[in-house]
Amino acid sequence: MRSRFDIRYVPDPTRAALRDELGLLGELAAEPCQFEVFHDTPGPGELRGCVREQLHWHHELQRRAGGELPFPRLCLLSSSRPATVLDAFGFAPVPGRPGLYRTAPGWRVDLVVIAELPRTRETLLLRLLGARAVLRDAIRELAALPDDAWERSIALPWLVRLLFEIPHEASACAAPDTEEEEELVTEVQQWFEQLPAGALAAWLADPAAR
């Protein structure tokens, strides 16, 4: 399983109502943001690398615009608690938002500890980026939602990738990780078996959906 991937995102102002439905993820995506997702816990070096990319992205946005632009936010999503990073860089918990930490305003850096997020529907999409028991529980919650739940259509691409990528990479993992990943594959396969007939095939056949 990949240990890290990143997304640079500029919101569409006409889709604010849709973002409101995404819970915490929609709140984080309300402004230009660079998301850095870590399956393993990031250390100080990884954070500095993300900040370098944040600065470079801001420079490129201003170059294209030909003038000053607001500094984009950096949001790190960590499967577990990176205690060293939280302490070394002065992150503080955001009141009323368990699992969300923030540096001084000028840095514009957020850190989400996925394992600390409350088990509510508004955090479900983020918890699907977690690991081990957090991910397994999130898959089970997703499977329990109604067939027409919007979370299913959003989560399906990620789960398809999880299903197809894990077996290929499992041979390179140590035995405990392989067992964990096999359990996740089983969870995803069981969820797919509950999908309405043809739903997965229709998604795979539609390039626009991906």
Side-chain angles (χ1 to χ4, degrees), residues 6 12 17-18 20 23 30 48 70 86 92 105 142 146 170 186 204:
D6 64 278
D12 181 347
L18 294 176
D20 290 341
R48 294 187 188 99
L86 290 172
L142 184 70
T186 300
L204 290 171

Side-chain angles (χ1 to χ4, degrees), residues 32-148:
C33 186
Q34 175 181 322
F35 289 95
E36 299 279 353
V37 186
F38 290 87
H39 180 69
D40 300 320
T41 305
E46 284 83 3
L47 176 55
R48 294 187 188 99
C50 293
V51 171
R52 279 196 300 271
E53 294 177 9
Q54 178 191 23
L55 292 167
H56 176 76
W57 184 36
H58 182 231
H59 172 76
E60 182 62 20
L61 289 174
Q62 291 194 139
R63 186 189 66 81
R64 295 178 183 179
E68 291 291 326
L69 290 175
F71 195 53
R73 185 169 295 280
L74 169 63
C75 182
L76 288 78
L77 307 177
S78 175
S79 60
S80 57
R81 183 182 179 85
T84 301
V85 167
L86 290 172
D87 293 341
F89 293 90
F91 282 90
V94 176
R97 282 297 190 183
L100 177 60
Y101 298 82
R102 188 163 286 163
T103 56
W107 288 108
R108 296 183 61 75
V109 180
D110 292 346
L111 194 153
V112 177
V113 180
I114 297 174
E116 296 181 1
L117 293 174
R119 289 182 57 176
T120 62
R121 189 166 176 176
E122 76 158 7
T123 69
L124 178 56
L125 292 180
L126 287 172
R127 287 184 288 116
L128 284 168
L129 297 172
R132 302 178 180 86
V134 173
L135 175 55
R136 286 194 294 271
D137 289 345
I139 291 173
R140 291 166 184 164
E141 291 174 40
L142 184 70
L145 292 177
D147 291 343
D148 61 351

